[in-house]
Amino acid sequence: MVLKTTNSFSTGHAEKAKDAGRRAPKKGSRVTEERAKAQRAKLDTQAEARHVQEEQEVVVQKTQSKKVGRQEGQAKRRVIETLIEAYIQDHIGGNHSDKTVEWHQTALGLLHLFLKEQLEIMQIDEVESDDISAWFAHMRTTPGAHGKVRSERTIQTYARSARAFFHWLIRRGTLEHNPFDRVVFPKVGRPLIQTITTEEFEKLLLACAPPNETGPFAERAAVRNRAILWLLYDTGIRVSELINLHLDDLDRKKGVVTVMGKGSKERRIALGQNCLRNLSYYLDKYRPNAEELADWGSAGESCLFLSETRQPLTKNGMEMLCKRLKERAGITGKRISPHIFRHTFAMNYLIKSNDPFSLQELLGHEDLTTVLNYIHMNDTVLQEQKRKYSPGDHIPTRMPGPRETRRASTQPNEVRRRKEAGQ
């Protein structure tokens, strides 16, 4: 009985010891897990911190790249050559004439070349007023494209283009200050406007017939040339407008021609009877018909005036025509060109109508400034007007001075003698 009790006690004690052994490892395992969990949390926090730092570095890098790219873009946009190209494109987009675009290209090309080669200036911010003045001086001392020293008027023309360019830079916010504000702008006197007299116009009309030539083709050339001269003389249109006239532009019933001017602006000009008669005579009798145009490979050509090859006239062809007519007419001392007819029309119209506002519309000018230049008349008209309205010839006879230079008095001789004797 005692033995059984002892065995039972031993067995129970062993089982308790076994259970205690099982519980001891479980306590150590929980500590290890807590430590592992803490370690993992620490590692996760460090990984997250590294990830945030990497993201921040990427953002900073991207920001710096954008900043550098923006700075490079801004620097590129401030390069003089790039800005000039943008300015020219702005003119083209504004439907400005080819002549205007060519003028700006030439003038600004010279400015860019001078700043680059002479002063090593590439950025627009580096240009100062002294640099502009140096450019003016450089153009006065260096020959132009034709090997001749540029005239003051040519230099002023280029300066106006450059000034407009810098005004454009101010308007678009590229520059805050305009170097032209502190520049002495080139000044030139207004030239006396040359015109052709009535006698010279008659000589030119007579010279339209080719010398020592007869036949239908010579007569056609003479009639066409007279129609051209009458149209230039009677309307004052530009040579570019004349060579681009089409048959539909002439309304013979109303006696009006529609002209496409600068900037694709249309204007209507009434024709005088002499001009309309010469135009109609050319169109009805001598302009090549549809069959002849087809034979020459110009089928459907609608230009008003055609050359001997049945093609539209060109500016160079008009210049050569005026040169030939001048030589045949024996006119010297002035240049006969299509533009002198424009001056002649403007002068004659202004003298006869005394209306610069309607003249502005007829000439197709945007403002009155150019028209007012015609008030600075040529010397002949100016002196005639001076003699006609001389203030010195319209003063009272009682003014002191030699009597023989004064106007004759309307008083009787006896009264005049008494006044002279002091009676």
Side-chain angles (χ1 to χ4, degrees):
M1 184 69 179
V2 175
L3 181 61
K4 184 177 180 180
T5 303
T6 302
N7 293 336
S8 300
F9 176 79
S10 299
T11 304
H13 183 74
E15 291 178 354
K16 289 181 179 179
K18 186 177 180 180
D19 292 339
R22 291 175 181 171
R23 288 195 294 269
K26 286 185 179 178
K27 184 178 180 180
S29 176
R30 285 198 300 269
V31 173
T32 303
E33 289 179 359
E34 291 294 335
R35 289 178 180 176
K37 185 177 180 181
Q39 186 68 21
R40 285 195 299 271
K42 182 179 180 181
L43 292 175
D44 291 341
T45 303
Q46 292 177 349
E48 185 177 356
R50 284 196 301 270
H51 180 68
V52 171
Q53 184 178 2
E54 289 176 356
E55 287 184 346
Q56 291 177 348
E57 290 177 355
V58 170
V59 171
V60 171
Q61 186 177 4
K62 288 182 178 179
T63 303
Q64 291 178 346
S65 299
K66 289 182 180 179
K67 184 177 180 181
V68 172
R70 185 162 52 250
Q71 291 175 347
E72 291 178 352
Q74 291 176 350
K76 185 177 180 180
R77 286 194 295 270
R78 305 186 82 82
V79 173
I80 297 175
E81 184 177 5
T82 303
L83 290 170
I84 290 176
E85 292 176 357
Y87 180 64
I88 296 299
Q89 290 299 320
D90 196 28
H91 274 282
I92 296 175
N95 198 27
H96 293 180
S97 67
D98 294 340
K99 199 72 174 178
T100 299
V101 174
E102 181 183 355
W103 164 50
H104 285 299
Q105 286 176 332
T106 301
L108 298 178
L110 291 173
L111 174 61
H112 172 240
L113 189 65
F114 170 77
L115 294 175
K116 178 181 178 181
E117 295 187 353
Q118 302 295 325
L119 303 180
E120 297 182 354
I121 293 177
M122 303 296 293
Q123 300 289 326
I124 197 67
D125 307 86
E126 302 174 9
V127 181
E128 298 179 355
S129 57
D130 293 341
D131 303 324
I132 303 295
S133 300
W135 178 50
F136 295 159
H138 177 75
M139 286 194 293
R140 291 189 180 96
T141 57
T142 55
H146 300 288
K148 298 180 180 179
V149 177
R150 300 178 181 88
S151 66
E152 285 298 320
R153 184 164 298 279
T154 300
I155 294 174
Q156 187 195 58
T157 301
Y158 291 158
R160 286 193 291 110
S161 172
R163 183 175 60 181
F165 171 62
F166 277 92
H167 282 316
W168 177 78
L169 294 174
I170 294 294
R171 289 196 306 272
R172 76 199 303 259
T174 304
L175 291 180
E176 295 182 359
H177 304 287
N178 192 344
F180 265 88
D181 293 341
R182 299 179 297 276
V183 170
V184 178
F185 201 76
K187 294 183 178 180
V188 294
R190 289 181 298 180
L192 294 175
I193 297 175
Q194 281 195 332
T195 60
I196 58 175
T197 64
T198 304
E199 293 76 13
E200 289 171 336
F201 181 60
E202 183 178 1
K203 289 181 179 179
L204 291 171
L205 290 175
L206 293 173
C208 287
N212 305 321
E213 292 186 28
T214 58
F217 293 109
E219 182 65 19
R220 169 186 284 179
V223 173
R224 183 206 62 182
N225 294 344
R226 291 192 192 104
I228 289 174
L229 293 186
W230 272 109
L231 188 60
L232 291 173
Y233 189 84
D234 196 55
T235 64
I237 62 176
R238 302 177 179 92
V239 62
S240 59
E241 296 168 344
L242 180 136
I243 63 177
N244 288 310
L245 283 176
H246 292 265
L247 295 173
D248 294 340
D249 295 328
L250 178 61
D251 187 343
R252 287 201 265 180
K253 184 177 181 180
K254 296 181 179 179
V256 174
V257 63
T258 302
V259 177
M260 182 66 70
K262 291 183 177 181
S264 300
K265 296 178 181 178
E266 284 189 352
R267 67 183 190 278
R268 289 161 57 83
I269 306 175
L271 302 177
Q273 293 299 321
N274 290 329
C275 178
L276 183 58
R277 183 168 54 252
N278 279 270
L279 272 176
S280 299
Y281 185 62
Y282 162 70
L283 294 174
D284 294 337
K285 302 290 185 180
Y286 291 96
R287 187 183 184 276
N289 55 31
E291 183 180 354
E292 183 178 349
L293 290 175
D295 292 340
W296 281 77
S298 300
E301 182 57 63
S302 63
C303 279
L304 193 65
F305 297 107
L306 302 176
S307 65
E308 287 76 5
T309 59
R310 283 63 171 177
Q311 297 294 325
L313 292 176
T314 62
K315 289 183 180 180
N316 185 59
M318 285 297 302
E319 292 286 347
M320 296 300 295
L321 173 61
C322 290
K323 184 178 179 180
R324 289 196 303 269
L325 294 180
K326 174 188 175 181
E327 294 175 354
R328 295 176 191 171
I331 298 174
T332 58
K334 65 179 63 174
R335 180 173 178 264
I336 302 299
S337 66
H339 209 69
I340 198 173
F341 289 93
R342 184 171 172 84
H343 291 324
T344 303
F345 165 79
M347 291 290 297
N348 291 337
Y349 185 89
L350 190 59
I351 292 172
K352 291 177 173 62
S353 69
N354 196 27
D355 184 6
F357 298 100
S358 61
L359 178 61
Q360 174 189 347
E361 295 294 329
L362 293 172
L363 292 178
H365 288 305
E366 293 184 353
D367 53 57
L368 200 61
T369 305
T370 307
V371 177
L372 293 179
N373 289 333
Y374 290 108
I375 297 179
H376 182 65
M377 301 177 182
N378 62 12
D379 190 62
T380 302
V381 176
L382 184 64
Q383 302 311 324
E384 288 178 357
Q385 295 292 91
K386 167 59 176 64
R387 292 188 183 95
K388 184 177 180 180
Y389 301 108
S390 178
D393 292 342
H394 296 80
I395 58 177
T397 57
R398 62 177 177 271
M399 299 296 290
R403 291 296 173 183
E404 61 271 15
T405 62
R406 300 296 159 193
R407 296 165 58 187
S409 175
T410 59
Q411 296 176 334
N413 293 337
E414 183 64 25
V415 175
R416 188 167 64 252
R417 281 196 297 271
R418 286 179 183 178
K419 286 187 176 181
E420 291 175 355
Q423 296 179 356

